[in-house]
Amino acid sequence: MKKESLRRTLLVSACAAVAVLTPSLHGATCTTQSQMTAAQRSTFMGEARTIGAIVQSGDTQALRAKILPAIASDFDGIAASVTALKPQIQTATMTVDSVYLLDASKDAPGAERTQFFCGSPIVVLTFNGIPPGTYALAILHATGVKDPQQIALILASAPGNQWQLAGFYAKPMIHADHDGIWYWTSARRYAQMKDDWTAWLYYHIAEALLSPVDFLSSPNLQKLQQEAQQAHPKDFPADKSQTSLNTQGASYSLSAVDTTTQFGGLDLDVHYIPNPTQTAQLRTPTEARKQVTDIMTALLAQHPGLRQAFHGMWVHADQGDSSVFALELPMEQIAPGTQPQALNNPPATH
């Protein structure tokens, strides 16, 4: 396989695992940590700790010596990620959470997709176009620091009983002072209260925190994804589906709603596309502020659970790829609109 294909497979586009748990169509096999021999377990955990220590120290030159030659041209991106991660984990306690041995040596060259079915309950690891060979996935946790991280390493078997780094991923374990289980539990409570906007946003935060890599699927993650889909609001804006919000005799086109921690607390992040009249109004500071605060008030009146679930709200008026006006306000500074019935026992606010 060409080097470009290998880079694309292991570093960029290892695809999301499918939900159907069926036996592999190829000869790929997976050995979990508990199924390994003591020697295998010692080898893989030792390799993971060694590379984890290099990442923790930010020693990119030592890491370069561990890189798989086929992906060496992507090393600058890995080095940049490690350098950015160092301040967050340099004093952390590093532990190896799990290790998987992935044997695709009997796969046919050029296979479009390889799946590894690991343990029971089954964890599925899915890769696109992986070359025949033997690999390992190690997931490490860097804890005891303000921003704990989970680090996933893909190792590839090399001549001389060596293991080289073929993939590197890092994701936070905490978001706005809470972990994935907290967001999942809170999302369920909001879903039970039919507050689908808040539930949908919280479910997605939970999934991001609880999934160490995008190409791993498990029964728990599938359950989380299914719950999220059940709470998916029909009126939630997406890239190809905008939502109209009516307020103060005007209609605004919401293009995206997400979350952000730019100001520390968990904020709602709202984008809308002003029409020509609204764009003209944005040139006057007082009119611009009124426009976005009207949107804030109307959105909270329509979805009251958002007020309890988030520290504040960002609203961006967008033209193309840039914002022509943006404002952030804490929830307590956003005027109440028409008050719907209050929520019963909402999760704690941020």
Side-chain angles (χ1 to χ4, degrees), residues 142-167:
T143 57
V145 290
K146 179 183 177 183
D147 298 308
Q149 303 286 318
Q150 49 190 332
I151 298 169
L153 308 172
I154 297 178
L155 307 177
S157 179
N161 293 322
Q162 298 296 310
W163 289 88
Q164 295 178 313
L165 182 65

Side-chain angles (χ1 to χ4, degrees), residues 301 304 307 335-342:
R307 188 180 290 274
T338 302
Q339 293 296 310
Q341 185 176 358

Side-chain angles (χ1 to χ4, degrees), residues 168-248:
F168 174 85
Y169 308 83
K171 296 178 67 175
M173 298 175 66
I174 299 291
H175 190 68
D177 299 327
H178 294 292
D179 63 14
I181 296 298
W182 186 91
Y183 282 104
W184 190 353
T185 302
S186 299
R188 283 176 167 172
R189 295 180 63 184
Y190 280 115
Q192 290 169 358
M193 294 184 285
K194 306 302 181 184
D195 185 0
D196 288 346
W197 273 45
T198 305
W200 175 252
L201 291 164
Y202 269 38
Y203 272 125
H204 278 271
I205 296 174
E207 183 177 352
L209 293 173
L210 294 173
S211 177
V213 284
D214 293 339
F215 52 85
L216 182 151
S217 180
S218 69
N220 277 342
L221 286 173
Q222 290 171 23
K223 182 175 179 59
L224 171 57
Q225 292 159 358
Q226 290 167 359
E227 289 182 19
Q229 285 303 316
Q230 290 171 358
H232 188 187
K234 295 180 180 179
D235 61 343
F236 198 85
D239 291 339
K240 298 181 180 180
S241 177
Q242 299 175 12
T243 295
S244 294
L245 180 69
N246 299 317
T247 174
Q248 301 293 317

